[in-house]
Amino acid sequence: MQRDLVERARRGDHDAFAVLAGATIGRLDAAARLILRDPDRAQDAVQETLVRCWRDLPTLRDIDRFDAWLNRLFLNACRDELRQR
């Protein structure tokens, strides 16, 4: 099912992306709060992750690697937040 959602989101399906984002936002937020220790910065990092995901999703080469790719985007967003501090 996730593979289908990723493929649809890659083609610009907003609803498919909303389902993907909804399935991961809680996990990303919890991890960001642990990493950044600031709820506002955590929300900023999660939002930036999802924006980058939507923007760059068409460039994802291997749909089966979506979770790993999303995690990399997330860690980069957290790193960016830490640098701004």
Side-chain angles (χ1 to χ4, degrees):
M1 178 173 149
Q2 181 180 2
R3 191 178 198 330
D4 178 55
L5 288 172
V6 173
E7 185 59 46
R8 287 178 31 215
R10 280 181 65 185
R11 292 191 306 258
D13 185 335
H14 292 259
D15 293 333
F17 184 76
V19 172
L20 286 172
T24 61
I25 199 165
R27 175 180 58 86
L28 294 177
D29 186 58
R33 286 171 184 258
L34 290 172
I35 293 168
L36 299 170
R37 301 185 191 286
D38 180 335
D40 294 329
R41 286 190 174 267
Q43 287 180 347
D44 289 345
V46 171
Q47 181 177 3
E48 183 62 27
T49 299
L50 295 175
V51 167
R52 290 177 187 178
C53 180
W54 174 253
R55 181 191 67 206
D56 297 342
L57 194 53
T59 67
L60 178 64
R61 288 185 231 145
D62 185 356
I63 294 172
D64 294 324
R65 304 275 305 145
F66 174 77
D67 287 331
W69 178 74
L70 182 65
N71 287 337
R72 176 57 50 198
L73 292 176
F74 169 70
L75 290 174
N76 287 339
C78 287
R79 192 174 299 126
D80 291 345
E81 281 294 323
L82 288 170
R83 281 187 195 131
Q84 290 177 4
R85 207 179 271 180

